Structure formats: structure tokens, C-alpha cells
Amino acid sequence: MSNHLPPLTALRAFDAAARHMSFAKAADELNVTPAALSFQIKSLEDHLGLPVFRRLNRAVDLTEAGRLLVPGTRDGFEALTTAWRGARRLADNSTITVTAGPAFTAKWLAPRMFAFAQAYPEIELRFTATLRLLDFNRDDVDVAIRFGMPHDEDVFTRSIIHEWVTPMMSPELAETIETPDDLKNAVLLHQDDIAFLKPSIQWPAWFTAAGLGAPPSGGLRFSQADHALDAALTGTGVMLGRVSLAARDLAEGRLVMPFDLSLTTQAHYRLICANGAEKRPHIKAFLDWIGSQTTEILALDIGRRFVAAASVEDRLSVR
């Protein structure tokens, strides 16, 4: 009995047929005729010396040998596809696929992409707006922008934005809120997407840091920060805004920060890519360009009174 593998086309035909449990559907997937697919399966069985399918009246079923062959064939093709994608990306120096959260993509990345396109017209950017963690080896992604506490291993990572929050509102609404105490009678906008951060940087923490006690109950809750930001822009209420997402609206006067007290967190935005990818010219250009865009946020630090969220955590737990 030979240990030599059968032709790749035969294994590919078997993999498709085993997934669909249908020769006709497998033939459609591979864009071959059912007769051609049957021929490939027969050549595999001849090579093995055992049948891998039982041909029934209008269906097929795996034999014991076929069931043993399925996991290795499936994993082998997945590994081969992953390796091919990685090698293919090395040959592509004109396209960068970036993944980031939906809010960051909408409020920070998207408004700046025209400037990047002007600076680097030879580079095409593609975006995947998702909070799902992607695999550089498996998924067609070159750079990830992630927010939270750093737990990155075996990858290149660079911090770009350290987050802080403070009350933000439309200029019109700010005319009716003169002191922090006035927030007790305001409509507060809450963001559930940062509830995972410990210590908290939500309204109870800011009210405690400001010596105001507990915030008023009620208000409006949003699952995504960009939705809360849109509501604040229309004057619906006051948000405890994240500087990363509101930077452009603040710089252009659509939002204001009447009070200097700001809560800081150890969570931050960071650029992540596979080790070594940061040295490839087009990816390095993107990473450096992103870093240059954060100066707008640094300018907003001026004149602010920063309080670490960790310093108010104990007072929150006592209350």
C-alpha cells in the first residue's frame, strides 16, 4: 500500500462532496461536470484501495474510510488556503485591509480617509468594521485598530490614542448648563459599549469625581458610542464623550466641553499587525500616517484637569 498522496484534484473533489453530501452540488461548487467529479472520486478510491462513499439511490453516504479522511482533508485545505492568502498578501504592496470597530470607523477613520487617499493615491484602503477579533493568518486583514486594555501577544502593536472622557454637548445645549451641578437636571446619554472597562468611565464615576454624588436616573441608553454622539450633536442630551470619537466635532465646534474635569483610563487605541508587516512600505506608510493624525487629539488635552478612573473606584463601591 503506497503512502504517496493522491492528486490534489481528487482530494479537492472528495472534500467538496463530503461537505455537500452530494456529487451534483460538489460539481457545481468546483465548476466541473458530475461525471468529472465522479471520475476524481473514483481515482481517489483506486489510490486508497477502499471506497470512500456508498452510492445510494439518490444520495451518497460516507464509508468508514471516508469518515476518517474528512477531518484531515478539511484541515489540510484550510491550512493551504491560509498559507496561500499570507503569501499572496506579501506580493500585494498596493492594498491594505484594515479592521476597526464600527464607531471608530464611522467617527474617526472614515472622515480622514480622503486625506490619506490624497497623500497616498497608489494605496487602496479596504475596511472591515467589526468588533470581532480577526486572525492575520486566516483572514484577509493587514492592520487592526483595537480599543481596550492591551493583551496582544506575538504581534506588532503601537499605541496611538489614550482615551479620556468628559461631558460633551451641542453649543446650544451648553448655554443652558452653566455648572456641573446643572447636569443633575439634564438628559444624560449612556453608552453601553464601554461597560466592559474596569474601572468604569461612565456617568457614576464622573459624578463621583466631580463631588456631585449619584447621577440622575433615566436618560437614554445606546449600544454604540457613535449613536450617542449623533444624539449629542442634535442637542438631545449630554454625553460623557470619548475624545477619540468626538475629536473632529470638538475641533470644528459642533460639540463643546464646558467643564475641565476629565476621566482617564488605561484603555487605549492601538495599531496591530503581524510581526514584520510593519516594515512593509505601504503598511508602514499607513501606520505612520495614522500616528500623525492623533495630534488633533493631543491639542484637546490642553487646559484639562485629568482624574484617573481608578482613583474614584473605591468611592463608587462605598456609595
Side-chain angles (χ1 to χ4, degrees):
M1 184 178 293
S2 173
N3 287 323
H4 293 298
L5 290 175
L8 190 63
T9 53
L11 287 170
R12 187 167 174 241
F14 169 76
D15 174 64
R19 281 188 284 105
H20 291 290
M21 293 306 293
S22 164
F23 283 13
K25 291 180 180 178
D28 285 342
E29 177 187 315
L30 300 179
N31 197 29
V32 299
T33 65
L37 185 122
S38 294
F39 177 81
Q40 293 295 341
I41 297 293
K42 183 65 169 60
S43 71
L44 175 71
E45 292 174 326
D46 290 344
H47 195 95
L48 179 64
L50 291 170
V52 293
F53 285 106
R54 282 192 292 271
R55 279 74 166 173
L56 306 177
N57 186 23
R58 291 192 174 182
V60 294
D61 192 16
L62 288 165
T63 64
E64 181 179 1
R67 286 193 296 271
L68 288 173
L69 193 57
V70 164
T73 306
R74 180 189 59 228
D75 293 346
F77 276 109
E78 287 181 356
L80 183 60
T81 299
T82 296
W84 177 255
R85 285 175 176 171
R88 189 180 62 186
R89 283 205 302 273
L90 288 178
D92 184 0
N93 291 313
S94 62
T95 304
I96 303 175
T97 301
V98 181
T99 179
F104 190 82
T105 299
K107 295 300 182 182
W108 202 92
L109 273 178
R112 292 168 170 80
M113 286 306 96
F114 180 70
F116 180 84
Q118 285 187 312
Y120 299 95
E122 73 281 8
I123 299 176
E124 177 186 351
L125 282 182
R126 299 174 183 175
F127 295 99
T128 300
T130 179
L131 294 174
R132 184 171 66 89
L133 296 180
L134 300 181
D135 188 324
F136 293 121
N137 294 321
R138 185 183 65 247
D139 302 301
D140 285 328
V141 171
D142 299 296
V143 178
I145 302 176
R146 287 291 175 249
F147 173 70
M149 305 297 186
H151 299 292
D152 309 314
E153 296 181 359
D154 300 324
V155 292
F156 171 84
T157 182
R158 177 189 297 170
S159 178
I160 53 171
I161 301 172
H162 285 268
E163 192 71 279
W164 50 265
V165 299
T166 195
M168 300 178 187
M169 62 199 80
S170 67
E172 296 76 16
L173 184 57
E175 294 177 1
T176 68
I177 299 177
E178 298 180 354
T179 69
D181 201 61
D182 292 335
L183 292 173
K184 294 179 179 179
N185 299 313
V187 176
L188 302 184
L189 308 179
H190 303 269
Q191 305 163 63
D192 292 336
D193 63 328
I194 55 172
F196 72 95
L197 290 177
K198 304 297 179 188
S200 172
I201 54 170
Q202 300 197 75
W203 278 116
W206 192 89
F207 265 65
T208 298
L212 298 175
S217 59
L220 301 175
R221 304 201 74 88
F222 297 87
S223 61
Q224 296 295 329
D226 54 327
H227 298 167
L229 185 56
D230 289 339
L233 286 167
T234 63
T236 301
V238 182
M239 72 179 298
L240 194 56
R242 291 163 52 183
V243 65
S244 61
L245 304 183
R248 176 149 293 193
D249 291 311
L250 292 166
E252 296 178 0
R254 290 185 292 271
L255 288 176
V256 296
M257 302 180 289
F259 315 119
D260 63 354
L261 176 62
S262 305
L263 280 181
T264 62
T265 173
Q266 292 182 337
H268 57 272
Y269 280 96
R270 58 213 187 276
L271 293 166
I272 307 170
C273 64
N275 278 324
E278 77 281 2
K279 299 175 183 177
R280 298 175 63 194
H282 66 312
I283 293 180
K284 182 180 185 302
F286 178 74
L287 299 183
D288 292 344
W289 181 85
I290 286 286
S292 73
Q293 297 298 300
T294 61
T295 56
E296 181 182 77
I297 293 178
L298 294 176
L300 295 171
D301 290 358
I302 299 172
R304 308 226 51 86
R305 179 164 58 97
F306 292 111
V307 174
S311 69
V312 300
E313 188 175 23
D314 291 340
R315 282 183 281 166
L316 268 173
S317 61
V318 170
R319 198 172 65 208

